[in-house]
Every structure is written in structure tokens, then in C-alpha cells.
Amino acid sequence: MEIVDLDVTPLRELNQRLHDLRAGDNLTAWRVVNPKGRHNVAVGVDAPVSITIDGHVGYYCAGMNSQAEIVITGNAGPGLAENMMSGVVRVKGSASQYAGATGRGGLLVIEGDAAGRCGISMKGIDIVVRGSVGHMSAFMGQAGRLLVCGDAGEALGDSLYEARLYVRGTVAGLGADCVERPLGDTERADITELLARAGIEGLEPEDFRCYGSARQLYNFQADKFHAYG
Amino acid sequence: MSDWRPGMRESYTFDRNVIAEIQRAARTGLYDIRGFGAKRKLPNFDDLVFLGASMSRYPLEGYRERCDTNVVLGTRYAKKPIEIKIPVTIAGMSFGALSANAKEALGRGASLMGTSTTTGDGGMTPEEREHSKLLVYQLLPSRYGMNPADLRKADAIEIVVGQGAKPGGGGMLLGQKITERIANMRTLPQGIDQRSACRHPDWTGPDDLAIKIQELREITDWEKPIYVKIGAARPYYDTALAVKAGADVVVLDGMQGGTGATQEVFIEHVGIPLLAAIPQAVDALQELDMHRKVQLIVSGGIRSGADVAKALAMGADAVSIGVAALIALGDNSPDFAEEYAKLGTAPGFYDDWHEGRDPAGISTQDPELMKRLDPEVGGRRLANYLTVLTLEAQTLARANGKSHVCNLDPTDLAALTVEAAAMARVPLAGTNWIPGRDAGYGA
């Protein structure tokens, strides 16, 4: 286990060491202590390593992550795991706005709540939120899946493309072109898989409702201008 | 007007273009979308002249005495600043708006001249990287195709906050140009209208931007110059905020800047001309003691070496071209007059770049049309054009006694109109009068 104390090691040095990892390196387990809300911790990692960050982090923690499994034991600031490519990012606490923004792959698990715009412009990432998500989550979501075990705020899935959304609790409101869809075999399998990967037990697919794009705004039509809100 | 007869008087307010637009709007219920840049008459560099050398300034001998043109970009923080051999770069234009051959031709032409080209909304293609010696990778609100591997392959990173054709607007690529390859690159279904966001998804405002820039630096190990591109809306404040956020380079795009597709009302009615924007940006840099430390690249209607030289004299470090580069490749060429006629237009007027039917094979994804642009030939044409821009700028610099084109300065200029004097902040020719010089800038 490689331990890096951010009270004594500059962030630049931590990130550089993580970027310098090569396939076959034996430094596969890292622990980062005293993050104390610092921004850009463990960004741009591209190696199959596990990194535990003990405490709270600021903006963009695990940004553009590839391959790595990153666990944050505290809360995360804005832009957690933005544009993630692959790997797993898990935050034990809650995440601020834009969690998983534009993510293209991998799994993001938020064990607490996520603020507004969770999964904004998601492009293939899977996001599981144990608690609730704020307003405009999955805005312009293009691909991937967002599963929310709690409630969703206003304008869920506004201007949605092909991302699939699952919510167990109440939805304060759907955004433009987002509609509820029937829960079929594909959707049940999605939910079962996402719950299992996130390590969440005791919930069933039938506890969730599914939302997707109505695809009515895919090509601009003048007589639908009111639908854009 | 061939059918004019005495007594026929055209309205200045409701001229034929206005009448045609009202009729079109009434017929379709849709606003007009088009490519190109602003077409209305705007104050521009033609409203300025160089004074030249005489008794008080010595000229340099043309063709004999040295006049350098190289510029280094990204000296503020980047470990690996880039050096361009000429003060003209190629602006960001997307693969999607342009064909793969056009993107390759831009890379080839720029590389022949030792300057940079830029990706666009849609990501980096392997062909573009291969043929571009210096490639600037854009980070746009849509983040289409954005990935850390390409970020590391880039020579510089440009965070696009806005563009001159549409400050405050997002991208637009209509369904007819979304082929399978483009759809895959953008993670979108084929054939749908692609409307990119106008704001970034994971930051809001300059304080966030500072952290975003730091993230990009951390991911790329502080190697790459980071540009911030702004549309000419409030350039004094936006430049100051970009500098505060940590930009290495500010790219300022005036309202004459081109676009692949945008509402006509946006192109013609939002933003300010480049002539009025440059002094604001330079003022902000000078007040922060960052002029020449944070480089300024300006774009939006650059056509000739005279435009290049005037932009540099006003305080820019380099210029960027888009529309002019496409014209150099063959856009609006008389060679395709018959085909332009079939589209209801003519060489010199074609601007329906969004429709994907470009006879020149540039703003299209049609495989047959694309073949018309040979990337090597197009690249050569672009290199020729860039050569002329550079030679013309050198000619003017030498005439003003400057051994480097960036040594031109505002005292080398005079304005031909009161408006240009006020906007460019150089004296009206024959006077020392700069209207509104100390008036400051509106919020």
C-alpha cells in the first residue's frame, strides 16, 4: 500500500506519480490522506490501480478516470469523475453538482445524495445514487444509465437523448422530451445489474420507474417550439 | 438591377433581401439557418491605414532586411509552449461541419507553413492528428469526442467559451450531416439534429474555470498551453477574467467570425466587430501587466496580410482564420458555378454550409462530394494563401520600419472614419483625435 499525505506531498507530485504508472507496476494500491477538500485529486489516472482517498475532496476528483477504482470516504465537490472513461469511482458521502458530467464509461456510485445536474450530458457512463439527485439531472443525457434509489428533482432528463433513467422515489418533474417508459425485460435487467455492481441489496426492479426520451425533439420542427419550454 | 425602369424605387428599409426573408419566414415558419459569418457592412480593418516610414521612421529594405514572423504561444505556465512560424493560425472547425478531406487539407496547409490548426465540436480524428504538425484540441460545452488520450496527444488545449458568430450560443449540426462515423464520434443517433450546449456542463463562471484549467493542466502534467476562446461580447472584462482564471492564451473572435451553421439573426445581431474588440482585450492585458505574457490571438473576418498586420499593430500576437481558409481550399469557387446555380445560388454567395450539399466538397459529408477536394491540393492552396498573408504582413511591417511583424504598434496606424477611430482607438487620419478615448467600457 502506497500512502500519500497531501499535507506534506504536493498534489502535483501525487498526480504525476499516478500518471507515471505503467502496466505491470507493483504499486497497485494507493491511499491518499488529508485531501481536505483539495481540487483535482487523482485526475487523469489511466492504470488498473485502486486508490482510497480518506476524507473530503473538492472539484473534479477522479476527473477523466480510466481503469482505476477510486473510493472517496468523505464527500465530493463539483464535477466528480467528470468525463470518466472507465473504471469505478465510489463516494461514500454525497456529491456536489455535475457528478459524472459527460462520462463516457465506467461506474460512478454515490452512496449519499447527488446535487443538481448529476449525469449532465452523460455519454455512456453508469451512475448509481443511493440517495436522491437534484434538479436537471441527466440533462441532454446521450447514453448510459442513471439509477436513483431516492428521489429526483425538477426537470429530470431535460432534452434527453438515449440515456436510460431509473428512479425509485418521487420525481419532482420531467424535463422537455423526457417521458416515463414501461419497465420491460431490458430495463429490469439494467436495474438488477446496476444494483449488484453498486453493492446495493434489498431493492427490486419493480421498486423503480423508468424514463427515457420521447424523441420528439430530435429534429427541429417549428410547430413544436413550445415544447422547448 | 436589370429590370429597373424609371419610377421603380427600392425601399431602403424593406429592400429585396428583407422582403424575401419575410416571404420565406411566412412560407416556412422557420428562422433562417446558414453558415459563413456576418454579411452586413461592418466597420473593419479597411477603415484603418498604415502611416508608413518617412523622415522620423526608417523603413526596412524589402526582400533584403530581416522581418521575422514567428510567435511563441503559451509562455505563461505551459512546460511546452508552441512556436508558430507565421502569425496566422487555423481556427477551430469541426469534423462534421467539414468533411474529413477538408480537415486533412487544413492540417496539411498549416503544417507546410509551420503553424497550427484546431479541432472543433466533435473531437479529434486520427487523420487530422496525423497531418497537423501543431494541433490545438478544443474543449467545448458539448464535450463530443472528448477523451484524455486525445487531450494528451494535442499540442495545446483551447477551452471554448464562445465564438464571434454567436456569443452566447451553442453549436448546431443538422441531421443530414450526421453520418454513422460522426454519430459514433459524438455518441448520438444517426440523422438527428445535433444542438450542442451553450454553457459548459461542469463549470460556471471564472472561479470555476480557474479550477477547470488546473484540472486540465494536472491531467496533461502542465505540458500544454491552455487557450481560452471568447466571442467578442464584453472583451475587456472577459479577457481579464480569462487571465485571472489562468489562461496562457486568449483567443478573441469578433462578430465577423464564421460558423458552420447558426441562425442568421444570431450571426448578424450579436457581438461586436473585431475592430472594436481588440483594444478592449489589449487594455485588459496591459492593465494586468500581461500583454505579451498572455498571448492574444484574434479572429473574425481576417482576409489579407493587411488585416493581419493591422490586427498585430493593434496589439494581437497572432490571428486566426476560418472562412478565408475554406475559401482558399475552394469554397465558393467559380469552378462549380453550374452546381451552385442548381442550389439556387452562385459563387461568392453560397452560405448553406449546414445543408451538406457543398459542391466544393468542403462543408459536406456526402462521400461523392467529398472526393472533389483532394487534401494535398487543398493543403497546397491553403499554404499558398498563408504565404501571401505572411508576405503582405511583412511588406507592411518593413514599410513601417519593423524587424518583426509583432513590433507593429498602434502609432503606425490612422483611422479613415470617426467610427473606426473610436473603435480601434487610433487617431483619425490627419488629427490626434481618438473619440471616446477615456470613456471606459460598458459593463
Side-chain angles (χ1 to χ4, degrees):
Chain A
M1 172 77 73
E2 190 72 6
I3 298 175
V4 178
D5 183 346
L6 287 179
D7 271 353
V8 294
T9 304
L11 177 74
R12 178 79 283 274
E13 185 178 325
L14 168 68
N15 284 331
Q16 188 69 59
R17 289 184 66 194
L18 292 170
H19 296 171
D20 290 342
L21 290 170
R22 294 291 174 266
D25 284 357
N26 59 1
L27 294 175
T28 56
W30 293 66
R31 185 163 164 242
V32 178
V33 298
N34 291 314
K36 295 183 177 174
R38 286 181 174 85
H39 308 310
N40 304 317
V41 177
V43 294
V45 180
D46 186 7
V49 295
S50 66
I51 304 166
T52 298
I53 301 167
D54 270 341
H56 307 305
V57 291
Y59 280 60
Y60 306 128
C61 181
M64 299 202 190
N65 181 59
S66 299
Q67 304 189 68
E69 288 192 27
I70 299 176
V71 175
I72 299 139
T73 64
N75 299 316
L80 170 68
E82 66 87 19
N83 212 81
M84 181 158 77
M85 305 299 291
S86 62
V88 178
V89 174
R90 177 183 292 269
V91 57
K92 299 279 190 181
S94 292
S96 185
Q97 55 192 345
Y98 335 126
T102 76
R104 308 172 70 83
L107 174 68
L108 170 61
V109 180
I110 298 163
E111 296 191 359
D113 299 316
R117 300 172 194 267
C118 177
I120 181 172
S121 196
M122 54 197 287
K123 295 167 169 47
I125 190 175
D126 288 327
I127 304 174
V128 176
V129 181
R130 187 71 182 85
S132 298
V133 296
H135 67 282
M136 303 238 9
S137 287
F139 173 60
M140 293 182 85
Q142 296 172 220
R145 298 169 293 187
L146 169 65
L147 184 139
V148 181
C149 299
D151 303 326
E154 291 284 353
L156 175 72
D158 193 276
S159 303
L160 196 63
Y161 290 104
E162 294 296 307
R164 296 204 292 271
L165 318 180
Y166 302 102
V167 182
R168 178 163 164 262
T170 60
V171 174
L174 297 177
D177 214 28
C178 183
V179 292
E180 184 169 353
R181 283 187 169 169
L183 207 62
D185 291 344
T186 304
E187 290 77 16
R188 287 190 185 86
D190 271 355
I191 296 167
T192 302
E193 177 208 329
L194 290 169
L195 289 171
R197 287 170 63 202
I200 296 172
E201 296 177 345
L203 300 180
E204 299 298 329
E206 281 66 26
D207 297 337
F208 291 82
R209 285 186 292 170
C210 172
Y211 303 90
S213 175
R215 301 173 181 144
Q216 295 298 302
L217 303 180
Y218 274 14
N219 293 92
F220 185 78
Q221 297 170 54
D223 56 1
K224 288 189 175 157
F225 79 92
H226 57 278
Y228 292 90
Chain B
M1 183 176 172
S2 58
D3 53 354
W4 180 85
R5 294 188 301 279
M8 290 172 62
R9 183 176 176 190
E10 184 171 20
S11 167
Y12 183 81
T13 306
F14 287 84
D15 67 19
R16 274 165 287 180
N17 275 320
V18 169
I19 289 171
E21 172 53 20
I22 293 170
Q23 290 165 340
R24 190 206 60 77
R27 194 166 57 248
T28 66
L30 286 169
Y31 43 48
D32 190 23
I33 293 172
R34 66 172 175 83
F36 218 88
K39 289 190 164 183
R40 64 148 107 188
K41 182 171 168 54
L42 290 166
N44 65 23
F45 292 114
D46 288 344
D47 299 323
L48 302 179
V49 289
F50 280 105
L51 295 173
S54 56
M55 292 286 279
S56 59
R57 304 276 178 103
Y58 297 144
L60 298 185
E61 197 67 55
Y63 304 107
R64 293 193 176 87
E65 288 186 288
R66 187 167 176 172
C67 179
D68 291 331
T69 60
N70 61 312
V71 180
V72 180
L73 302 167
T75 51
R76 185 183 187 193
Y77 290 124
K79 283 185 197 168
K80 296 182 178 175
I82 63 174
E83 181 176 5
I84 51 176
K85 303 295 185 194
I86 61 171
V88 187
T89 68
I90 306 300
M93 290 174 273
S94 76
F95 169 58
L98 302 187
S99 68
N101 284 0
K103 288 296 286 179
E104 182 181 329
L106 293 173
R108 284 175 178 274
S111 297
L112 281 169
M113 295 302 294
T115 191
S116 62
T117 187
T118 312
T119 64
D121 208 357
M124 181 191 294
T125 65
E127 303 97 299
E128 184 176 29
R129 178 61 278 189
E130 182 186 347
H131 294 289
S132 304
K133 188 164 176 285
L134 294 172
L135 183 59
V136 182
Y137 187 37
Q138 286 192 328
L139 182 94
L140 292 119
S142 73
R143 308 285 166 88
Y144 292 137
M146 169 54 56
N147 69 80
D150 286 346
L151 206 58
R152 293 185 182 107
K153 283 182 207 158
D155 298 292
I157 299 162
E158 181 171 290
I159 300 173
V160 179
V161 177
Q163 72 181 89
K166 46 184 165 181
M172 182 181 285
L173 190 67
L174 299 188
Q176 55 267 40
K177 291 174 79 171
I178 307 275
T179 61
E180 186 178 359
R181 184 181 181 196
I182 290 165
N184 287 338
M185 281 182 69
R186 298 181 183 222
T187 326
L188 282 172
Q190 199 172 337
I192 71 167
D193 293 343
Q194 170 257 294
R195 290 157 286 138
S196 321
C198 62
R199 298 192 304 272
H200 280 262
D202 58 355
W203 62 270
T204 307
D207 293 335
D208 283 5
L209 177 58
I211 305 169
K212 187 72 197 171
I213 288 175
Q214 190 198 33
E215 184 205 13
L216 296 171
R217 292 199 192 281
E218 283 294 325
I219 289 173
T220 55
D221 298 329
W222 290 72
E223 290 182 349
K224 322 285 183 189
I226 295 188
Y227 304 3
V228 173
K229 178 175 180 175
I230 54 176
R234 297 170 183 82
Y236 174 75
Y237 298 101
D238 292 341
T239 300
L241 291 171
V243 171
K244 174 184 175 292
D248 291 308
V249 175
V250 173
V251 181
L252 173 66
D253 193 22
M255 76 172 288
Q256 298 100 321
T259 174
T262 297
Q263 300 93 330
E264 156 113 351
V265 71
F266 220 141
I267 297 172
E268 298 286 2
H269 297 280
V270 185
I272 63 173
L274 185 59
L275 196 69
I278 296 174
Q280 294 196 32
V282 172
D283 272 4
L285 291 169
Q286 288 176 337
E287 285 174 21
L288 294 166
D289 192 24
M290 283 291 168
H291 191 218
R292 308 297 187 197
K293 297 174 186 169
V294 169
Q295 288 78 37
L296 176 66
I297 301 177
V298 303
S299 56
I302 301 288
R303 307 153 297 174
S304 65
D307 289 353
V308 176
K310 289 170 187 174
L312 299 182
M314 289 176 68
D317 295 276
V319 305
S320 200
I321 59 170
V323 170
L326 299 187
I327 294 170
L329 294 188
D331 173 68
N332 271 291
S333 165
D335 293 348
F336 304 108
E338 284 184 22
E339 296 196 50
Y340 285 125
K342 287 178 194 165
L343 298 174
T345 184
F349 297 90
Y350 181 64
D351 59 16
D352 286 329
W353 294 348
H354 61 294
E355 291 182 346
R357 298 187 290 171
D358 182 359
I362 297 170
S363 58
T364 183
Q365 299 303 321
D366 182 305
E368 291 306 311
L369 293 174
M370 277 171 55
K371 286 179 192 167
R372 295 180 181 181
L373 179 67
D374 180 326
E376 287 190 42
V377 174
R380 186 66 254 171
R381 284 194 205 121
L382 176 60
N384 288 342
Y385 174 61
L386 290 170
T387 300
V388 171
L389 292 185
T390 307
L391 288 171
E392 288 178 341
Q394 279 178 310
T395 299
L396 295 170
R398 285 194 182 99
N400 286 277
K402 305 299 162 88
S403 59
H404 194 295
V405 289
C406 288
N407 290 347
L408 288 163
D409 66 62
T411 66
D412 297 316
L413 294 169
L416 298 177
T417 68
V418 173
E419 288 81 1
M423 289 184 188
R425 310 231 162 182
V426 299
L428 186 66
T431 78
N432 61 0
W433 183 44
I434 301 176
R437 172 171 20 199
D438 302 316
Y441 303 109

